[in-house]
Amino acid sequence: MEQFPFEGLNLALTTPFDRTGAIDFAAFESLIERYILTGVRGFVLSSGTGMHVYLSESESKELIARGCKAIDGRATIIAQVSALMLDDIVSRTKHAADHGANGVMVLPPFFEGPTDDAGIIDFYAEVAKANVPIIGYNVPNAVGVEITPALFEQLASIPNFVTVKDSSGDLIGQGNLIRTGFPVVNGADPLVPYALYAGAKGLIWGGANFAPKSCLALVEAAKHGLWDEVRQIWRRLEPAMSLIWKGDYVQSVYAAADLVGYGAGAPRRPLSALNADKRVAIRKALEPLIEFEGVTP
């Protein structure tokens, strides 16, 4: 069987913003270099954690183009190209591929889009014509579409549809997807070790922005079946990964990354910086990680 191209950690990279709210491309490229130095070999550009929904199409395209140029073949690149209009998704997909992305991540149709299986299959089949590996996205509480095992099996028959990122947070549901035999990527931070043990092939991990070394160490231990070591590493990660999942996810990741030393500025409006009480809680949850990460806040 051909090796799955998105194994291991794919860092859902934050998008840095300056004080005016504009993308800080210099900081963006600097972050990429720093994460590559820690050993990160997979990135998601214009990710949900990177505020894709609050980037214009031109901003997202420029971010992907610059990110691909900065990475320059040193890591695998997934570009999020989700949009409301199918033609826009196809345009974004071709743009990402032209600049060196290895695959694209695409939400199912949302905001009054089709919810029946036939409509979802037709949608992804149309995107697949761009001849770029596609990662579907299962986050039913956000878009109102669930990729069930039965639907996944049909989607997997589409040329270039390679996997589903499951961000439902439902380990039982993810296990059902894994049992189809097709590769599944976990996108729920608190489920990471359990998803890997269940057979998830890869991770798209926003929380890795603030703990890249720990996250890489966990993935490496799991790869070799060292589950006692996985559990030890997870004890350091679990307080923060569980806390950020409880709400204000993007704001929490930005705050945590800043506290550890991987700051990306404040999130873009309409999101605001994490409030003081939650920042204190995040700081406490990060205590087991700071020394291992070796970054001065």
Side-chain angles (χ1 to χ4, degrees):
M1 178 181 288
E2 186 177 347
Q3 184 176 4
F4 180 61
F6 307 114
E7 285 187 353
L9 172 62
N10 300 280
L11 173 63
L13 187 61
T14 54
T15 299
F17 299 99
D18 64 22
R19 294 183 181 276
T20 70
I23 297 176
D24 187 337
F25 287 107
F28 175 65
E29 292 164 6
S30 175
L31 279 179
I32 287 173
E33 291 300 323
R34 294 179 66 193
Y35 287 126
I36 286 177
L37 284 174
T38 68
V40 173
R41 293 296 179 267
F43 289 91
V44 184
L45 306 180
S46 198
S47 67
T49 310
M51 302 198 68
H52 174 84
V53 71
Y54 296 119
L55 303 178
S56 69
E57 180 174 353
S58 61
E59 285 178 322
S60 177
K61 284 182 172 179
E62 184 175 2
L63 191 78
I64 290 165
R66 289 197 182 209
C68 289
K69 183 177 180 180
I71 292 167
D72 192 27
R74 294 176 292 168
T76 301
I77 300 168
I78 299 167
Q80 178 163 200
V81 296
S82 301
L84 283 172
M85 294 179 60
L86 182 56
D87 287 349
D88 290 344
I89 297 170
V90 172
S91 170
R92 290 171 183 241
T93 298
K94 291 178 178 177
H95 170 273
D98 287 345
H99 284 84
N102 303 99
V104 295
M105 184 169 68
V106 188
L107 282 165
F110 54 96
F111 193 65
E112 300 184 2
T115 58
D116 60 298
D117 285 4
I120 304 303
I121 293 165
D122 287 347
F123 166 80
Y124 279 114
E126 194 65 30
V127 178
K129 292 178 182 178
N131 201 31
V132 182
I134 295 170
I135 298 169
Y137 200 158
N138 188 45
V139 55
N141 57 335
V143 300
V145 172
E146 180 181 5
I147 298 180
T148 63
L151 176 55
F152 187 20
E153 289 176 352
Q154 295 180 81
L155 291 171
S157 69
I158 298 172
N160 301 312
F161 190 99
V162 296
T163 187
V164 165
K165 174 195 176 187
D166 177 47
S167 296
S168 67
D170 177 2
L171 185 58
I172 295 173
Q174 188 171 132
N176 291 336
L177 291 173
I178 291 169
R179 282 195 297 276
T180 64
F182 298 108
V184 174
V185 172
N186 174 65
D189 300 47
L191 298 187
V192 165
Y194 316 108
L196 291 173
Y197 187 77
K201 293 295 185 183
L203 307 166
I204 292 178
W205 199 349
N209 281 282
F210 58 78
K213 295 178 184 178
S214 298
C215 295
L216 286 166
L218 185 148
V219 170
E220 186 66 14
K223 179 180 178 180
H224 294 287
L226 302 174
W227 297 107
D228 287 343
E229 185 176 341
V230 169
R231 182 56 190 158
Q232 289 177 352
I233 298 168
W234 185 243
R235 287 193 181 101
R236 296 198 302 264
L237 287 165
E238 188 172 18
M241 295 301 167
S242 295
L243 182 59
I244 63 176
W245 200 254
K246 291 181 179 179
D248 296 329
Y249 178 85
V250 171
Q251 302 97 308
S252 296
V253 171
Y254 271 74
D258 179 57
L259 288 165
V260 174
Y262 290 98
R268 174 177 271 184
R269 295 175 64 187
L271 301 187
S272 57
L274 202 66
N275 69 45
D277 289 344
K278 290 186 176 181
R279 194 173 174 91
V280 168
I282 286 284
R283 185 188 297 273
K284 183 173 179 59
L286 290 171
E287 288 176 358
L289 295 170
I290 297 294
E291 183 177 354
F292 182 85
E293 292 301 323
V295 177
T296 302

